[in-house]
Amino acid sequence: MKIRKAAVLGAGVMGAAIAGHLANVGIEAYLLDIVPRDLSEEEKQDRKARNRLAQAGKDRLFKEKPSPLYDKAVADLIHVGNLEDDLDQLRNVDWIIEVVVENLKIKQDLFEQIEKIWKPGMIVSSNTSGISINQMVEGRSEEFKKHFLGTHFFNPPRYMKLLEIIPGESTDPKLVQYMKAFAEEVLGKGVVLCKDTPNFIANRIGTYGLQVTLHAMEEFDLGPDEIDVVTGRAMGRPKSATFRTLDLVGLDTYMHVCNNVYEHVTDKEEKEVFKASPLLKRMVENNWIGSKSGQGFYKKVKTEKGKEILALDPKTLEYRSRKKLKANSLDQAKRGKTLAKKLQALIYGEDTAGKLAWYITKKVLLYSANRLEEIANDIVSIDQAMKWGFNWDLGPFEIWDAIGVETSVARMRAEGEKIPRLVEELLAAGKSSFYEKGDNGVKFFHIGGQFREVQENEKVINLAQLKAQGKVIKGNSGASLIDLGDDIACLEFHSPKQAIGPEIITMMNYAVKEVSANYRGLVIGNQAPNFCVGANLMLMLMEAQDYNWPEIDMMVRQFQKTMGSLRYLDKPVVAAPFGMTLGGGVEVCLPADRLQAAAETYMGLVEVGVGLIPGGGGTKELLFRWMDGVDPKDRVALQPLVNHVFMAIGQAKVSTSALHARKYKFLRSCDGITANSDHLLYDAKQVALGLAKSGYKSPQPIRIPVVGETGYSLMKLAAHDLMLSGYISEHDYKIASKLAFVLAGGNVPEGTVVSEEYLLDLEREAFLSLIGEPKTQARMQYMLAKGKPLRN
């Protein structure tokens, strides 16, 4: 089995986005939809008119934010068509994904058409969010059924990690395993295998929790804004909490998902929970369906003070100013050092917020345990589905462990709740948690009263687990050097926001010596929310405000020297960036022999946002990447390349993905991209091993041709024009001028070849002069306080 080409049938929001994500990972895709029913007789003969719906779906990919595409150029891999003229094209694909309207009869009819052109071995799947997989292929051949399964993507497909795979009764188990591996490794998904039940796992549990919260709004007499204060980050869930999430999803879509469960479950009590509330029905009737209609539980309005977000009063159905629920339990939760402590403080609180959190949590935990055998193979599947599909920090059974199984069950019993069999079995076995650490990793409690090992993918390297196993070579408060096995070491940043300070630089220097002496290679990576957001801005600002220029000069020199040590280490260095990789984070990556970046990597030298230019070698390194291989005598070629660097740094360009980072040469063609961030360290380790096995030799010192005084004048002139046009401020112009001077190589003739040390000196001098500027210090202070740049 190998998927090289695919076809997506249905070019609505999900269908087009799935085609977009296939293109993201390099898979050519046909995007087909029906022929519009309102065509004139003339248009019926026009292919463009007949493909209009599919073309509209493709066009939408360029407009949506956040973008469904890693880079706009990947859209060239998507070919539009229609289901009448282009059905024969499906003979050329390896995978057909059905994403048409959620109507069983329409799907059945489509699969009947598909089988007529179907070739043995071709994979066919449905992206249904809840219709029975087995019912869809009733009447199809057994061979077709063997190659059919459900592949439920979550929206938006590029960003949502969960992919639910639902085998049918006849699906070939080998196909299921292949699709699981393909989805994880190529599409970058977290895969959960589901049973063919209404709404599968994530939507079944998730919509139940949302319904319970809607009921709680009435029972506790609270507004959506007050409930969202509790059900967001305080409970380890996304900031969008409950009602902002519903607005984003769309209340009409949400009602459809609820109705699907309501119509297909037989338990009366469960059925009642999924029954749409009168409030929800009224809102959908009024077209108050959320963000796409401009109002839902929230509404953005213009006021004299600017824009204001109002909240719906569920009693009057009028919008009012938002209220923020205040409670001691919320304050206590904020002080908790771990998520478990935060949850305990909130859920066991005696005030309104605590009682609300307990009410919702209790219902969801009991429901998850009661429905386990029906919808999932094990508790791990439910926990992963909720974390990957709804962005919860912990899944239901992990939450149960966090708040204490014995304590919570005792309270549930006191409140008259019936405890599920699985939980009773756990307690009867003398256990107090659903998960425990085993000899080879983590074990989970399984149906039937047994603990089983969590089957970890060999490509998932867990740094926390390695540290617990005593694999730390050396560490301090900012970073650790960890043994990854096979004589490869990993330098992990763990300072706040992975900001680079003296502790990290100390550990980097230690890592260089230790790896040189005892290891085959070095990987630089971590498993925090982001790779690195830059240097320790607060430390630099404090030194500047104290006029401690010698200390700042020493720090910058030390950082530059350390980056040079990485570049010329006699063992291969592989950086593994992901998420926000900004400023100093980029400067750590650029000297590495290779980058193995997560697909979702946002790289940029953004120092101008705080009134500076890169000071740790970033300017020099990016210039080298653009000038590498250029003939110094080819003066016509030099200036345009330098201009690219000038714009990238001067405008603080940040890539929208790892693929897009290649546009700025933050990544080169030799650097790799990993779709699944869970596999990133494994892939980086393999690259380091490969370089070591191939007889690695450290690079030779570099010399760079520069554009000199002529190029400097041209760049300054361009910046001056922008200032006169009002696009940049006087201080922006000053920063741009300093940057241009460094990139031009100072006052030397055009075509002069200069050394690294020469450029580093220019870079450091520019950095030091700018950090002494009051307006730069104001920018630094504003960034620290507000988290966004100040334009002064």
Side-chain angles (χ1 to χ4, degrees):
M1 297 179 188
K2 190 168 184 180
I3 295 174
R4 290 152 296 207
K5 283 187 180 181
V8 180
L9 312 185
V13 172
M14 276 302 292
I18 290 170
H21 191 57
L22 292 172
N24 283 338
V25 297
I27 295 173
E28 192 174 354
Y30 293 99
L31 180 61
L32 311 184
D33 209 313
I34 61 171
V35 175
R37 296 187 177 91
D38 58 350
L39 296 183
S40 66
E41 288 303 317
E42 184 179 347
E43 287 177 323
K44 287 177 183 177
Q45 311 305 316
D46 183 356
R47 282 302 300 267
K48 283 189 176 180
R50 293 172 69 82
N51 295 345
R52 187 179 294 156
L53 295 179
Q55 186 63 52
K58 181 178 177 179
D59 292 345
R60 197 165 50 246
L61 297 175
F62 297 103
K63 301 171 186 174
E64 289 183 2
K65 292 183 180 180
S67 175
L69 305 174
Y70 288 164
D71 188 282
K72 289 181 180 180
V74 304
D76 290 343
L77 290 172
I78 302 172
H79 312 294
V80 300
N82 67 74
L83 290 167
E84 291 181 20
D85 305 322
D86 301 298
L87 211 58
D88 273 356
Q89 296 285 2
L90 303 189
R91 298 179 192 275
N92 304 316
V93 306
D94 307 298
W95 180 22
I96 298 171
I97 313 166
E98 171 272 307
V99 200
V100 301
V101 64
E102 288 287 81
N103 178 293
L104 179 60
K105 180 66 168 60
I106 291 173
K107 291 178 187 289
Q108 288 175 332
D109 290 346
L110 180 58
F111 290 126
E112 183 179 359
Q113 291 295 109
I114 290 171
E115 188 166 17
K116 292 176 182 177
I117 56 91
W118 181 79
K119 295 186 301 185
M122 187 184 290
I123 303 163
V124 183
S125 72
S126 172
N127 182 61
T128 181
S129 59
I131 292 178
S132 170
I133 298 301
N134 292 304
Q135 287 181 357
M136 281 188 215
V137 286
E138 286 179 355
R140 305 280 60 77
S141 68
E142 282 303 310
E143 191 64 23
F144 185 90
K145 290 178 182 178
K146 279 177 64 177
H147 293 82
F148 181 78
L149 70 166
T151 50
H152 180 214
F153 289 81
F154 272 62
N155 193 31
R158 170 183 170 180
Y159 300 98
M160 293 302 293
K161 191 173 181 68
L162 180 62
L163 176 69
E164 291 180 319
I165 290 182
I166 312 97
E169 292 171 356
S170 304
T171 308
D172 185 345
K174 291 181 180 178
L175 172 63
V176 176
Q177 290 308 310
Y178 169 77
M179 288 301 292
K180 182 177 185 295
F182 171 82
E184 289 173 343
E185 294 173 18
V186 179
L187 300 180
K189 296 298 176 185
V191 174
V192 171
L193 299 181
C194 304
K195 297 180 180 180
D196 189 15
T197 55
N199 284 26
F200 314 126
I201 296 177
N203 276 343
R204 183 75 170 269
I205 303 290
T207 52
Y208 180 88
L210 290 167
Q211 285 294 94
V212 164
T213 309
L214 277 161
H215 297 162
M217 183 163 66
E218 184 177 346
E219 186 163 325
F220 284 81
D221 192 24
L222 295 170
D225 46 345
E226 295 168 298
I227 287 182
D228 276 355
V229 172
V230 179
T231 61
R233 295 306 301 148
M235 288 180 65
R237 298 183 185 181
K239 289 181 181 178
S240 57
T242 301
F243 295 100
R244 283 172 61 200
T245 296
L246 285 173
D247 276 0
L248 290 168
V249 169
L251 271 61
D252 53 341
T253 302
Y254 173 73
M255 270 190 66
H256 172 80
V257 174
C258 283
N259 286 336
N260 189 58
V261 182
Y262 178 79
E263 291 169 4
H264 290 94
V265 297
T266 54
D267 183 273
K268 289 183 179 179
E269 188 177 332
E270 183 180 12
K271 205 175 186 73
E272 190 61 28
V273 173
F274 282 96
K275 186 177 181 181
S277 68
L279 172 63
L280 214 56
K281 287 181 178 177
R282 180 75 180 278
M283 291 177 72
V284 172
E285 286 170 4
N286 291 348
N287 198 37
W288 298 352
I289 56 175
S291 302
K292 57 188 174 185
S293 69
Q295 65 186 101
F297 285 102
Y298 295 96
K299 181 181 181 181
K300 187 181 286 186
V301 297
K302 290 183 179 179
T303 66
E304 293 178 358
K305 297 179 181 179
K307 291 181 180 178
E308 183 183 359
I309 297 174
L310 305 178
L312 182 72
D313 185 320
K315 288 183 176 178
T316 65
L317 291 185
E318 294 180 352
Y319 290 91
R320 54 159 175 78
S321 296
R322 285 183 292 173
K323 300 176 185 176
K324 191 167 184 178
L325 183 66
K326 294 183 179 180
N328 183 56
S329 62
L330 287 168
D331 294 335
Q332 291 296 323
K334 287 178 183 177
R335 298 189 189 104
K337 292 185 177 180
T338 64
L339 181 54
K341 292 294 184 185
K342 292 175 188 289
L343 286 171
Q344 290 166 19
L346 176 61
I347 285 170
Y348 295 129
E350 292 298 320
D351 51 27
T352 300
K355 290 175 181 177
L356 172 67
W358 168 253
Y359 175 88
I360 295 167
T361 302
K362 177 183 74 170
K363 296 281 188 184
V364 170
L365 298 188
L366 290 171
Y367 185 75
S368 300
N370 278 320
R371 289 288 164 260
L372 171 63
E373 292 184 68
E374 176 192 346
I375 67 174
N377 296 317
D378 48 53
I379 66 171
V380 180
S381 297
I382 289 181
D383 283 344
Q384 289 178 329
M386 296 315 298
K387 289 188 290 185
W388 292 338
F390 278 75
N391 290 325
W392 290 10
D393 291 347
L394 299 175
F397 295 95
E398 292 172 323
I399 292 171
W400 221 323
D401 282 358
I403 65 173
V405 177
E406 293 171 313
T407 304
S408 59
V409 168
R411 181 172 174 180
M412 290 173 186
R413 284 196 175 115
E415 293 173 355
E417 302 288 354
K418 184 180 178 182
I419 307 304
R421 178 170 66 89
L422 177 78
V423 186
E424 293 285 20
E425 287 177 350
L426 178 80
L427 296 174
K431 301 293 184 179
S432 58
S433 62
F434 287 99
Y435 292 91
E436 59 182 34
K437 290 182 180 178
D439 296 333
N440 300 316
V442 177
K443 296 194 296 185
F444 69 94
F445 191 68
H446 194 58
I447 300 161
Q450 297 178 330
F451 271 87
R452 295 187 182 178
E453 295 283 345
V454 175
Q455 295 299 309
E456 290 282 8
N457 188 318
E458 67 169 355
K459 294 187 176 181
V460 177
I461 293 176
N462 188 317
L463 291 181
Q465 201 171 82
L466 290 177
K467 290 163 86 171
Q469 293 169 0
K471 300 292 185 181
V472 176
I473 302 163
K474 189 172 183 177
N476 61 26
S477 60
S480 295
L481 190 64
I482 303 166
D483 190 341
L484 294 183
D486 299 315
D487 292 328
I488 299 294
C490 175
L491 180 64
E492 176 203 30
F493 299 167
H494 46 68
S495 58
K497 296 186 178 180
Q498 291 61 55
I500 298 168
E503 296 84 4
I504 285 181
I505 292 174
T506 297
M507 277 306 304
M508 291 178 86
N509 285 318
Y510 173 81
V512 166
K513 294 176 183 176
E514 178 66 15
V515 169
S516 177
N518 299 310
Y519 287 83
R520 300 169 73 186
L522 175 68
V523 168
I524 304 175
N526 62 72
Q527 292 174 323
N530 295 295
F531 177 77
C532 176
V533 296
N536 188 329
L537 200 60
M538 176 65 80
L539 177 64
M540 299 295 286
L541 178 61
M542 288 172 62
E543 296 291 356
Q545 289 176 336
D546 288 342
Y547 305 104
N548 200 345
W549 313 124
E551 181 67 23
I552 296 173
D553 181 61
M554 186 192 74
M555 285 193 290
V556 177
R557 284 177 186 271
Q558 195 174 21
F559 190 27
Q560 290 180 339
K561 185 179 178 181
T562 303
M563 294 305 98
S565 298
L566 282 178
R567 169 175 273 283
Y568 295 110
L569 177 61
D570 59 355
K571 302 291 174 65
V573 177
V574 180
F578 60 93
M580 301 303 289
T581 303
L582 304 175
V586 176
E587 290 182 301
V588 169
C589 292
L590 294 183
D593 297 291
R594 292 287 188 278
L595 269 68
Q596 186 67 35
E600 298 296 343
T601 301
Y602 318 116
M603 298 186 79
L605 291 165
V606 296
E607 285 83 353
V608 296
V610 289
L612 298 167
I613 70 163
T619 309
K620 176 263 297 184
E621 287 287 347
L622 193 60
L623 184 64
F624 169 64
R625 287 183 175 222
W626 280 92
M627 306 299 275
D628 187 25
V630 177
D631 184 351
K633 298 176 183 177
D634 187 357
R635 297 183 180 183
V636 175
L638 290 178
Q639 189 65 51
L641 297 176
V642 176
N643 291 346
H644 280 295
V645 185
F646 184 57
M647 296 299 285
I649 299 175
Q651 294 184 341
K653 295 289 188 181
V654 177
S655 71
T656 57
S657 67
L659 188 65
H660 186 233
R662 286 192 168 137
K663 177 180 179 181
Y664 303 115
K665 292 193 185 290
F666 296 136
L667 260 69
R668 301 153 298 186
S669 58
C670 63
D671 295 323
I673 296 175
T674 297
N676 191 329
S677 58
D678 292 341
H679 300 175
L680 181 60
L681 289 180
Y682 174 89
D683 289 348
K685 176 184 171 183
Q686 299 312 306
V687 173
L689 282 170
L691 288 170
K693 289 175 183 176
S694 64
Y696 174 81
K697 292 182 180 179
S698 56
Q700 295 298 309
I702 60 175
R703 295 181 65 78
I704 304 171
V706 293
V707 292
E709 293 176 302
T710 305
Y712 171 52
S713 299
L714 288 171
M715 286 185 277
K716 270 192 74 175
L717 180 61
H720 191 260
D721 286 345
L722 288 172
M723 182 179 68
L724 292 179
S725 302
Y727 290 107
I728 64 174
S729 67
E730 286 187 20
H731 193 54
D732 289 325
Y733 174 67
K734 181 176 286 187
I735 299 164
S737 299
K738 297 280 186 183
L739 174 63
F741 189 76
V742 176
L743 292 174
N747 295 316
V748 296
E750 184 179 9
T752 301
V753 177
V754 300
S755 67
E756 290 180 79
E757 291 75 18
Y758 174 81
L759 284 174
L760 286 173
D761 287 343
L762 292 180
E763 187 178 283
R764 189 176 62 257
E765 289 165 10
F767 184 93
L768 289 167
S769 67
L770 286 169
I771 201 170
E773 293 281 344
K775 286 189 176 182
T776 285
Q777 293 177 22
R779 288 190 180 194
M780 295 170 74
Q781 199 149 5
Y782 192 84
M783 177 62 75
L784 288 166
K786 305 287 186 180
K788 56 185 179 181
L790 170 69
R791 300 305 302 271
N792 59 358

